[in-house]
Amino acid sequence: MSYPTDGASTYPVQDIAASWERERPGTPVASIGIVTPIWRLAKLLGDDRRRVLARAGVDAATLDLLSVLRRSGKPYTLSTRELGRRSLVTAGAISQRVARAESDGLVTRRPGQGRPRTVLVCLTQAGHDLVETTVDHVLGREAELIDGLTGEQQSQLTELLQVLLQDVQRRLGGDRISHVGEE
């Protein structure tokens, strides 16, 4: 891919790539046009989501926990192992999330049947109410942010991002994804 080298681009990513091509001919710059906007979008979307959640009085980790339970269907109960699998976080992270949500009255814990160390996490009515309200705020806001794309563009982008994500995960061996910038 060749980028303009006059420094007059209206798209700064093109300027970055063109500068590298000028300063280091032969440097592979094709990824800049894809990866840099993804990083910028992740930052913008993450910051906006944190503001929306702050106004709702909930943090991203708690909303993730409550959302996974809510999406599981009635009786809104999952084992901690299944929560970890569906949330793509470690057992330790799930344990911390559950402890915080339980202290806030959003979930309860009880022993599972069968396996001795199985713990089941259940969504309380307060947790259900919070996720019902908050998910509308978050998803409504994110729908607003992408409505500059047509429905067809959104579908195409969804498909392309899925292909890219699966390929990068395969190449990196990453089945667990943290928030942007976290390890």
Side-chain angles (χ1 to χ4, degrees), residues 11-163:
Y11 189 47
V13 172
Q14 290 175 329
D15 293 339
I16 293 167
S19 295
W20 280 120
E21 283 181 330
R22 182 188 68 242
E23 294 299 317
R24 297 197 68 237
T27 297
V29 297
S31 65
I32 293 173
I34 297 170
V35 175
T36 300
I38 289 173
W39 272 106
R40 289 180 176 178
L41 280 167
K43 173 79 170 106
L44 290 168
L45 293 170
D47 289 350
D48 190 73
R49 180 177 272 203
R50 278 186 287 283
R51 284 189 294 273
V52 170
L53 292 176
R55 285 192 298 271
V58 65
D59 63 90
T62 300
L63 180 61
D64 183 52
L65 173 71
L66 300 179
S67 295
V68 169
L69 286 166
R70 175 62 178 90
R71 289 191 314 263
S72 72
K74 288 184 178 183
Y76 311 120
T77 301
L78 292 171
S79 69
T80 52
R81 175 175 286 197
E82 185 62 17
L83 281 168
R85 189 187 72 74
R86 292 185 188 191
S87 297
L88 304 175
V89 297
T90 65
I94 284 298
S95 180
Q96 291 175 355
R97 289 177 180 191
V98 169
R100 274 195 318 266
E102 186 176 40
S103 72
D104 291 340
L106 304 173
V107 300
T108 59
R109 283 188 269 199
R110 63 180 165 84
Q113 294 180 343
R115 300 180 82 179
R117 295 187 333 172
T118 299
V119 175
L120 297 177
V121 180
C122 308
L123 192 62
T124 65
Q125 187 61 51
H128 188 277
D129 294 345
L130 180 61
V131 75
E132 290 295 305
T133 302
T134 307
V135 77
D136 286 343
H137 290 300
V138 170
L139 296 180
R141 174 62 177 161
E142 290 173 356
E144 288 174 14
L145 293 174
I146 65 165
D147 73 3
L149 298 175
T150 66
E152 183 179 336
Q153 289 171 324
Q154 289 178 26
S155 293
Q156 289 172 339
L157 184 57
T158 298
E159 290 174 23
L160 290 171
L161 288 172
Q162 184 64 33
V163 169

Side-chain angles (χ1 to χ4, degrees), residues 167-176:
D167 186 58
V168 170
Q169 283 180 307
R170 181 187 57 77
R171 289 170 185 256
L172 298 178
D175 61 343
R176 297 201 182 265

